[in-house]
Protein backbone atom coordinates (compact mmCIF):
# COMPACT_ATOMS: atom_id res chain seq x y z
CA UNK A 1 0.00 0.00 0.00
CA UNK A 2 1.06 3.60 -0.48
CA UNK A 3 -0.38 7.02 0.24
CA UNK A 4 0.97 10.14 -1.43
CA UNK A 5 0.60 13.88 -1.85
CA UNK A 6 1.99 15.40 -5.05
CA UNK A 7 2.77 19.01 -5.95
CA UNK A 8 1.59 20.06 -9.43
CA UNK A 9 1.92 23.30 -11.41
CA UNK A 10 4.70 24.41 -9.12
CA UNK A 11 7.03 27.16 -10.24
CA UNK A 12 5.47 28.88 -13.25
CA UNK A 13 1.79 29.27 -12.36
CA UNK A 14 0.48 31.20 -15.36
CA UNK A 15 -0.62 30.21 -18.86
CA UNK A 16 -2.00 31.77 -22.04
CA UNK A 17 -5.42 31.06 -23.47
CA UNK A 18 -7.47 32.52 -26.33
CA UNK A 19 -10.74 31.93 -28.13
CA UNK A 20 -12.03 33.22 -31.48
CA UNK A 21 -15.49 32.62 -32.95
CA UNK A 22 -15.58 32.51 -36.76
CA UNK A 23 -18.31 33.74 -39.16
CA UNK A 24 -19.35 30.14 -39.89
CA UNK A 25 -20.11 29.55 -36.20
CA UNK A 26 -17.05 27.42 -35.50
CA UNK A 27 -14.40 28.42 -32.97
CA UNK A 28 -10.65 28.18 -32.50
CA UNK A 29 -9.00 27.77 -29.11
CA UNK A 30 -5.36 28.68 -28.64
CA UNK A 31 -3.39 27.58 -25.59
CA UNK A 32 0.21 27.79 -24.46
CA UNK A 33 0.26 24.13 -23.43
CA UNK A 34 1.25 21.33 -25.83
CA UNK A 35 -0.55 17.99 -25.92
CA UNK A 36 1.15 14.69 -26.63
CA UNK A 37 -1.74 12.33 -26.01
CA UNK A 38 -3.45 13.79 -22.94
CA UNK A 39 -6.60 14.90 -24.75
CA UNK A 40 -6.27 18.69 -24.66
CA UNK A 41 -8.40 19.03 -27.81
CA UNK A 42 -11.30 17.28 -26.10
CA UNK A 43 -10.92 18.91 -22.69
CA UNK A 44 -10.50 22.48 -23.94
CA UNK A 45 -13.37 22.09 -26.43
CA UNK A 46 -15.61 20.88 -23.60
CA UNK A 47 -14.73 23.98 -21.56
CA UNK A 48 -15.69 26.28 -24.45
CA UNK A 49 -18.83 24.34 -25.36
CA UNK A 50 -20.11 24.37 -21.77
CA UNK A 51 -20.26 28.17 -21.80
CA UNK A 52 -21.24 28.84 -25.42
CA UNK A 53 -23.21 25.89 -26.70
CA UNK A 54 -20.91 25.62 -29.73
CA UNK A 55 -20.66 21.88 -30.49
CA UNK A 56 -17.40 20.25 -29.39
CA UNK A 57 -16.77 18.96 -32.90
CA UNK A 58 -16.80 22.54 -34.24
CA UNK A 59 -14.08 23.74 -31.87
CA UNK A 60 -10.45 23.44 -33.01
CA UNK A 61 -7.35 23.65 -30.82
CA UNK A 62 -4.21 25.44 -32.03
CA UNK A 63 -1.08 24.78 -29.97
CA UNK A 64 2.70 24.95 -30.30
CA UNK A 65 2.50 27.31 -33.30
CA UNK A 66 4.64 30.29 -32.36
CA UNK A 67 3.28 32.29 -35.32
CA UNK A 68 -0.21 32.12 -33.82
CA UNK A 69 0.09 31.38 -30.10
CA UNK A 70 1.39 34.48 -28.36
CA UNK A 71 3.12 32.76 -25.44
CA UNK A 72 3.08 29.59 -23.41
CA UNK A 73 4.81 27.50 -20.82
CA UNK A 74 4.27 24.14 -22.52
CA UNK A 75 3.31 20.94 -20.78
CA UNK A 76 4.99 19.73 -17.60
CA UNK A 77 4.33 19.29 -13.93
CA UNK A 78 0.75 18.18 -14.62
CA UNK A 79 -0.18 21.81 -15.28
CA UNK A 80 -2.16 21.72 -18.52
CA UNK A 81 -5.78 21.57 -17.40
CA UNK A 82 -5.46 23.62 -14.25
CA UNK A 83 -3.51 26.42 -15.98
CA UNK A 84 -4.13 26.08 -19.73
CA UNK A 85 -7.69 24.90 -19.20
CA UNK A 86 -8.38 27.74 -16.77
CA UNK A 87 -6.92 30.25 -19.24
CA UNK A 88 -9.27 28.88 -21.92
CA UNK A 89 -12.14 29.07 -19.41
CA UNK A 90 -11.42 32.72 -18.63
CA UNK A 91 -10.97 33.56 -22.32
CA UNK A 92 -14.35 31.96 -23.04
CA UNK A 93 -15.92 34.04 -20.28
CA UNK A 94 -14.44 37.15 -21.91
CA UNK A 95 -15.83 36.19 -25.34
CA UNK A 96 -19.27 35.57 -23.82
CA UNK A 97 -19.16 39.00 -22.18
CA UNK A 98 -18.28 40.60 -25.52
CA UNK A 99 -20.98 38.59 -27.28
CA UNK A 100 -23.63 39.66 -24.79
CA UNK A 101 -22.71 43.32 -25.26
CA UNK A 102 -22.80 42.88 -29.04
CA UNK A 103 -26.15 41.09 -28.92
CA UNK A 104 -27.57 43.84 -26.72
CA UNK A 105 -26.47 46.40 -29.30
CA UNK A 106 -27.93 44.48 -32.22
CA UNK A 107 -31.20 43.67 -30.44
CA UNK A 108 -31.46 47.10 -28.81
CA UNK A 109 -31.72 45.56 -25.36
CA UNK A 110 -30.15 45.99 -21.95
CA UNK A 111 -27.00 43.80 -21.65
CA UNK A 112 -28.31 42.62 -18.28
CA UNK A 113 -31.25 41.02 -20.12
CA UNK A 114 -29.05 39.08 -22.56
CA UNK A 115 -28.53 35.39 -21.81
CA UNK A 116 -26.68 32.50 -23.45
CA UNK A 117 -28.74 29.43 -24.31
CA UNK A 118 -26.11 26.70 -24.31
CA UNK A 119 -28.67 24.10 -25.38
CA UNK A 120 -29.43 25.93 -28.63
CA UNK A 121 -26.10 27.73 -29.01
CA UNK A 122 -27.70 31.17 -29.19
CA UNK A 123 -27.59 34.52 -27.39
CA UNK A 124 -30.67 36.68 -26.96
CA UNK A 125 -33.05 38.51 -24.69
CA UNK A 126 -34.26 36.44 -21.78
CA UNK A 127 -37.72 35.04 -22.46
CA UNK A 128 -37.55 35.83 -26.18
CA UNK A 129 -35.80 32.80 -27.74
CA UNK A 130 -37.28 33.43 -31.19
CA UNK A 131 -35.19 36.58 -31.59
CA UNK A 132 -31.93 35.11 -30.34
CA UNK A 133 -28.77 35.30 -32.47
CA UNK A 134 -26.49 32.38 -33.21
CA UNK A 135 -22.72 32.58 -32.87
CA UNK A 136 -22.19 32.82 -36.62
CA UNK A 137 -24.36 35.96 -36.82
CA UNK A 138 -22.51 37.56 -33.92
CA UNK A 139 -19.08 36.75 -35.39
CA UNK A 140 -20.08 38.27 -38.75
CA UNK A 141 -21.39 41.39 -37.01
CA UNK A 142 -18.15 41.74 -35.04
CA UNK A 143 -16.07 41.55 -38.22
CA UNK A 144 -18.33 43.96 -40.10
CA UNK A 145 -18.11 46.66 -37.43
CA UNK A 146 -14.79 46.86 -35.59
CA UNK A 147 -16.27 49.34 -33.11
CA UNK A 148 -18.99 46.93 -32.06
CA UNK A 149 -16.67 44.81 -29.87
CA UNK A 150 -14.05 45.74 -27.29
CA UNK A 151 -10.54 45.01 -28.59
CA UNK A 152 -8.45 46.23 -25.66
CA UNK A 153 -6.93 42.73 -25.35
CA UNK A 154 -5.38 42.99 -28.82
CA UNK A 155 -7.78 40.66 -30.64
CA UNK A 156 -9.92 41.28 -33.71
CA UNK A 157 -13.43 40.06 -34.40
CA UNK A 158 -15.33 38.13 -31.75
CA UNK A 159 -12.34 36.93 -29.74
CA UNK A 160 -10.44 37.26 -26.48
CA UNK A 161 -6.99 36.39 -25.16
CA UNK A 162 -5.43 36.56 -21.71
CA UNK A 163 -3.01 35.02 -19.25
CA UNK A 164 -4.38 33.13 -16.27
CA UNK A 165 -2.22 33.09 -13.14
CA UNK A 166 -3.10 30.55 -10.51
CA UNK A 167 -0.61 32.01 -8.05
CA UNK A 168 0.42 28.76 -6.35
CA UNK A 169 0.77 25.02 -6.80
CA UNK A 170 -1.94 22.44 -6.17
CA UNK A 171 -1.66 19.16 -4.32
CA UNK A 172 -3.31 16.01 -5.70
CA UNK A 173 -3.30 13.02 -3.37
CA UNK A 174 -4.32 9.40 -3.29
CA UNK A 175 -3.91 5.88 -1.99
CA UNK A 176 -2.92 2.71 -3.88
CA UNK A 177 -3.11 -0.96 -2.96
CA UNK A 178 -1.14 -3.52 -4.93
CA UNK A 179 -1.33 -7.32 -4.80
CA UNK A 180 1.57 -9.39 -6.10
CA UNK A 181 2.53 -13.04 -6.24
CA UNK A 182 6.18 -14.06 -5.78
CA UNK A 183 7.49 -17.42 -6.98
CA UNK A 184 10.00 -18.44 -4.30
CA UNK A 185 11.76 -20.87 -6.61
CA UNK A 186 12.43 -18.41 -9.44
CA UNK A 187 11.96 -14.98 -7.85
CA UNK A 188 9.44 -13.99 -10.53
CA UNK A 189 7.01 -11.29 -9.39
CA UNK A 190 3.54 -11.20 -10.92
CA UNK A 191 1.29 -8.20 -10.42
CA UNK A 192 -2.12 -9.69 -9.63
CA UNK A 193 -4.21 -6.64 -8.80
CA UNK A 194 -3.78 -2.89 -8.40
CA UNK A 195 -6.41 -0.52 -6.98
CA UNK A 196 -5.86 3.23 -7.18
CA UNK A 197 -7.90 6.04 -5.67
CA UNK A 198 -6.61 9.43 -6.81
CA UNK A 199 -7.88 12.95 -6.19
CA UNK A 200 -7.12 15.46 -8.95
CA UNK A 201 -9.79 17.95 -7.95
CA UNK A 202 -12.73 18.41 -10.29
CA UNK A 203 -12.90 15.66 -12.92
CA UNK A 204 -13.78 17.36 -16.21
CA UNK A 205 -13.73 14.23 -18.38
CA UNK A 206 -13.72 10.87 -16.53
CA UNK A 207 -12.43 8.93 -19.55
CA UNK A 208 -9.40 11.22 -19.94
CA UNK A 209 -8.64 11.00 -16.22
CA UNK A 210 -8.85 7.20 -16.29
CA UNK A 211 -6.49 7.14 -19.25
CA UNK A 212 -3.97 9.23 -17.31
CA UNK A 213 -4.38 6.91 -14.33
CA UNK A 214 -3.79 3.78 -16.41
CA UNK A 215 -0.67 5.27 -17.99
CA UNK A 216 0.66 6.37 -14.62
CA UNK A 217 0.04 2.95 -13.07
CA UNK A 218 1.88 1.20 -15.90
CA UNK A 219 4.86 3.56 -15.60
CA UNK A 220 4.99 3.30 -11.81
CA UNK A 221 4.73 -0.49 -11.73
CA UNK A 222 7.31 -0.71 -14.51
CA UNK A 223 9.78 1.28 -12.41
CA UNK A 224 9.24 -1.06 -9.47
CA UNK A 225 9.54 -4.31 -11.38
CA UNK A 226 11.34 -3.87 -14.71
CA UNK A 227 13.16 -0.67 -15.60
CA UNK A 228 16.86 -0.23 -14.81
CA UNK A 229 19.73 1.65 -16.43
CA UNK A 230 22.90 -0.43 -16.11
CA UNK A 231 26.57 0.25 -16.90
CA UNK A 232 29.71 -1.83 -17.22
CA UNK A 233 32.84 -1.23 -15.14
CA UNK A 234 34.04 1.42 -17.60
CA UNK A 235 30.81 3.38 -17.42
CA UNK A 236 29.45 2.27 -20.78
CA UNK A 237 25.64 1.86 -20.84
CA UNK A 238 24.46 -1.73 -21.12
CA UNK A 239 20.79 -0.84 -21.53
CA UNK A 240 21.06 1.62 -24.39
CA UNK A 241 18.14 0.36 -26.49
CA UNK A 242 14.77 -1.31 -26.05
CA UNK A 243 16.27 -4.74 -26.69
CA UNK A 244 18.15 -4.48 -23.40
CA UNK A 245 16.10 -1.98 -21.40
CA UNK A 246 13.13 -3.84 -19.92
CA UNK A 247 9.74 -2.30 -20.62
CA UNK A 248 6.53 -4.26 -19.94
CA UNK A 249 3.58 -4.62 -22.25
CA UNK A 250 -0.10 -4.91 -21.34
CA UNK A 251 0.43 -8.66 -21.07
CA UNK A 252 2.47 -8.16 -17.89
CA UNK A 253 -0.29 -6.21 -16.14
CA UNK A 254 -3.74 -6.99 -14.73
CA UNK A 255 -6.80 -4.86 -15.41
CA UNK A 256 -6.20 -1.76 -13.30
CA UNK A 257 -8.95 -0.66 -10.94
CA UNK A 258 -8.98 3.13 -10.85
CA UNK A 259 -11.27 5.44 -8.93
CA UNK A 260 -11.38 9.17 -8.24
CA UNK A 261 -12.44 11.36 -5.38
CA UNK A 262 -12.99 15.06 -6.06
CA UNK A 263 -11.64 17.76 -3.77
CA UNK A 264 -11.71 20.93 -5.91
CA UNK A 265 -8.90 23.42 -5.47
CA UNK A 266 -9.94 27.06 -4.86
CA UNK A 267 -6.98 28.32 -6.91
CA UNK A 268 -8.56 28.05 -10.35
CA UNK A 269 -12.11 28.32 -11.74
CA UNK A 270 -12.21 24.68 -12.81
CA UNK A 271 -11.24 23.33 -9.40
CA UNK A 272 -8.75 21.12 -11.23
CA UNK A 273 -5.44 19.71 -10.00
CA UNK A 274 -2.89 17.60 -11.87
CA UNK A 275 -3.34 13.94 -12.77
CA UNK A 276 -0.64 13.31 -15.41
CA UNK A 277 1.95 12.00 -12.94
CA UNK A 278 -0.06 11.36 -9.78
CA UNK A 279 -0.69 7.65 -10.24
CA UNK A 280 2.98 7.11 -11.10
CA UNK A 281 3.88 8.41 -7.66
CA UNK A 282 1.40 6.13 -5.92
CA UNK A 283 2.03 2.99 -7.98
CA UNK A 284 5.79 2.53 -7.53
CA UNK A 285 5.89 2.31 -3.71
CA UNK A 286 2.66 0.29 -3.59
CA UNK A 287 4.09 -2.41 -5.87
CA UNK A 288 7.48 -2.35 -4.11
CA UNK A 289 5.85 -2.60 -0.69
CA UNK A 290 3.72 -5.50 -1.87
CA UNK A 291 6.83 -7.44 -2.92
CA UNK A 292 8.46 -6.82 0.46
CA UNK A 293 5.27 -7.84 2.27
CA UNK A 294 5.11 -11.08 0.30
CA UNK A 295 8.59 -11.98 1.59
CA UNK A 296 8.24 -10.51 5.07
CA UNK A 297 7.76 -13.96 6.62
CA UNK A 298 11.34 -14.72 5.54
CA UNK A 299 12.64 -11.64 7.35
CA UNK A 300 13.02 -9.57 4.18
CA UNK A 301 12.74 -5.82 4.81
CA UNK A 302 14.26 -4.35 1.68
CA UNK A 303 14.99 -5.09 -1.99
CA UNK A 304 16.56 -2.58 -4.33
CA UNK A 305 14.39 -1.60 -7.27
CA UNK A 306 13.61 -2.93 -9.74
CA UNK A 307 12.44 -6.20 -8.21
CA UNK A 308 13.71 -8.37 -11.05
CA UNK A 309 13.50 -12.15 -10.82
CA UNK A 310 17.25 -12.44 -10.22
CA UNK A 311 17.30 -9.80 -7.48
CA UNK A 312 14.26 -11.28 -5.70
CA UNK A 313 15.66 -14.83 -6.04
CA UNK A 314 19.00 -13.78 -4.48
CA UNK A 315 17.16 -12.06 -1.64
CA UNK A 316 15.16 -15.23 -0.94
CA UNK A 317 18.33 -17.35 -0.95
CA UNK A 318 20.05 -14.89 1.41
CA UNK A 319 17.03 -14.98 3.72
CA UNK A 320 17.05 -18.78 3.81
CA UNK A 321 20.79 -18.76 4.54
CA UNK A 322 20.43 -16.10 7.22
CA UNK A 323 22.75 -13.72 5.37
CA UNK A 324 20.39 -10.83 4.59
CA UNK A 325 22.29 -7.52 4.61
CA UNK A 326 21.28 -4.78 7.01
CA UNK A 327 18.99 -2.43 5.00
CA UNK A 328 20.20 0.60 6.93
CA UNK A 329 22.79 2.86 5.35
CA UNK A 330 24.26 6.00 6.83
CA UNK A 331 23.10 9.27 5.27
CA UNK A 332 25.54 11.15 3.04
CA UNK A 333 28.19 13.19 4.82
CA UNK A 334 26.70 16.38 3.46
CA UNK A 335 23.83 16.10 5.94
CA UNK A 336 26.25 16.15 8.85
CA UNK A 337 27.90 19.28 7.43
CA UNK A 338 24.51 20.93 6.97
CA UNK A 339 23.73 20.44 10.65
CA UNK A 340 26.82 22.47 11.50
CA UNK A 341 25.91 25.52 9.42
CA UNK A 342 22.13 25.66 9.66
CA UNK A 343 20.31 27.19 12.60
CA UNK A 344 17.37 25.13 13.82
CA UNK A 345 14.11 26.93 14.58
CA UNK A 346 13.49 25.17 17.88
CA UNK A 347 10.05 26.77 18.36
CA UNK A 348 8.94 25.81 14.88
CA UNK A 349 10.35 22.29 15.28
CA UNK A 350 8.48 21.83 18.55
CA UNK A 351 5.27 23.05 16.94
CA UNK A 352 5.72 20.67 14.00
CA UNK A 353 6.40 17.71 16.26
CA UNK A 354 3.24 18.52 18.17
CA UNK A 355 1.00 18.27 15.11
Amino acid sequence: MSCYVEVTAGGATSEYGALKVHPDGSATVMAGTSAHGQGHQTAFAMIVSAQTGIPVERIRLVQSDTDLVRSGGGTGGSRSLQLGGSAVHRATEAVVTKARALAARLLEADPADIVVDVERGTIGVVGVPAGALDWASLARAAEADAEAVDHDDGTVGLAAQLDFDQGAATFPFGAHISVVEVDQDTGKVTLIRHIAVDDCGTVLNPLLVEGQQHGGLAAGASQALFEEVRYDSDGNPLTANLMDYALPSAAEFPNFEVHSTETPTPLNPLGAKGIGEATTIGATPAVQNAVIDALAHLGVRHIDMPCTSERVWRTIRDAEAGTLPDPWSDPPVVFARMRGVHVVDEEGLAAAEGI
Side-chain angles (χ1 to χ4, degrees), residues 203-257:
V203 174
L204 179 70
N205 184 308
L207 184 62
L208 293 180
V209 170
E210 288 181 14
Q212 294 283 286
Q213 288 175 295
H214 278 245
L217 289 177
S222 181
Q223 182 181 355
L225 299 178
F226 299 96
E227 297 185 48
E228 182 179 20
V229 178
R230 304 187 69 175
Y231 302 88
D232 64 19
S233 58
D234 295 321
N236 299 307
L238 299 175
T239 51
N241 57 59
L242 296 180
M243 290 295 292
D244 302 314
Y245 186 87
L247 278 175
S249 69
E252 280 72 51
F253 292 132
N255 289 325
F256 297 132
E257 301 169 53

Side-chain angles (χ1 to χ4, degrees), residues 80 84 124 189 192 239 273 328:
S80 293
V189 177
I192 303 297
T239 51
K273 299 180 283 190
W328 171 258

Side-chain angles (χ1 to χ4, degrees), residues 5-29:
V5 176
E6 185 199 8
V7 57
T8 60
T13 58
S14 67
E15 190 52 88
Y16 170 79
L19 173 66
K20 182 177 178 64
V21 181
H22 303 292
D24 64 355
S26 65
T28 296
V29 176

Side-chain angles (χ1 to χ4, degrees), residues 15-322:
E15 190 52 88
Y16 170 79
L19 173 66
K20 182 177 178 64
V21 181
H22 303 292
D24 64 355
S26 65
T28 296
V29 176
M30 287 189 285
T33 58
S34 298
H36 40 268
Q38 305 95 314
H40 292 184
Q41 166 69 50
T42 300
F44 293 172
M46 289 176 64
I47 292 170
V48 173
S49 182
Q51 295 185 70
T52 64
I54 299 173
V56 168
E57 61 270 18
R58 302 210 67 202
I59 300 170
R60 182 174 71 103
L61 173 63
V62 173
Q63 59 179 10
S64 306
D65 188 332
T66 55
D67 282 338
L68 300 175
V69 182
R70 186 196 70 198
S71 58
T75 295
S78 301
R79 68 194 296 272
S80 293
L81 182 62
Q82 57 187 309
L83 298 185
S86 293
V88 169
H89 178 86
R90 292 292 193 219
T92 306
E93 289 180 335
V95 168
V96 169
T97 298
K98 292 183 180 185
R100 289 181 61 203
L102 178 58
R105 177 173 176 168
L106 296 174
L107 298 173
E108 299 180 349
D110 188 327
D113 295 330
I114 301 297
V115 295
V116 179
D117 186 340
V118 295
E119 295 295 326
R120 300 176 62 198
T122 58
I123 300 181
V125 179
V126 61
V128 191
L133 302 170
D134 60 20
W135 284 98
S137 299
L138 290 167
R140 287 194 295 269
E143 293 198 358
D145 183 0
E147 301 299 322
V149 177
D150 177 20
H151 298 301
D152 287 345
D153 58 4
T155 59
V156 295
L158 187 52
Q161 64 178 353
L162 50 77
D163 292 292
F164 171 77
D165 192 343
Q166 184 168 271
T170 59
F171 297 88
F173 59 90
H176 289 211
I177 296 176
S178 192
V179 181
V180 304
E181 181 180 90
V182 178
D183 188 322
Q184 289 189 218
D185 293 324
T186 65
K188 178 178 174 56
V189 177
T190 303
L191 183 58
I192 303 297
R193 190 179 179 192
H194 193 104
I195 305 98
V197 180
D198 302 293
D199 193 309
C200 62
T202 302
V203 174
L204 179 70
N205 184 308
L207 184 62
L208 293 180
V209 170
E210 288 181 14
Q212 294 283 286
Q213 288 175 295
H214 278 245
L217 289 177
S222 181
Q223 182 181 355
L225 299 178
F226 299 96
E227 297 185 48
E228 182 179 20
V229 178
R230 304 187 69 175
Y231 302 88
D232 64 19
S233 58
D234 295 321
N236 299 307
L238 299 175
T239 51
N241 57 59
L242 296 180
M243 290 295 292
D244 302 314
Y245 186 87
L247 278 175
S249 69
E252 280 72 51
F253 292 132
N255 289 325
F256 297 132
E257 301 169 53
V258 296
H259 309 275
S260 291
T261 58
E262 297 186 45
T263 308
T265 175
L267 297 180
N268 65 65
L270 301 176
K273 299 180 283 190
I275 188 61
E277 299 152 303
T279 45
T280 305
I281 295 170
T284 301
V287 174
Q288 174 77 358
N289 288 342
V291 175
I292 301 302
D293 183 66
L295 302 178
H297 66 288
L298 300 175
V300 175
R301 296 168 55 200
H302 173 78
I303 302 175
D304 285 339
M305 291 195 301
C307 294
T308 60
S309 296
E310 177 188 3
R311 192 167 285 166
V312 173
W313 180 84
R314 290 186 182 280
T315 300
I316 293 171
R317 301 287 83 80
D318 287 343
E320 292 174 339

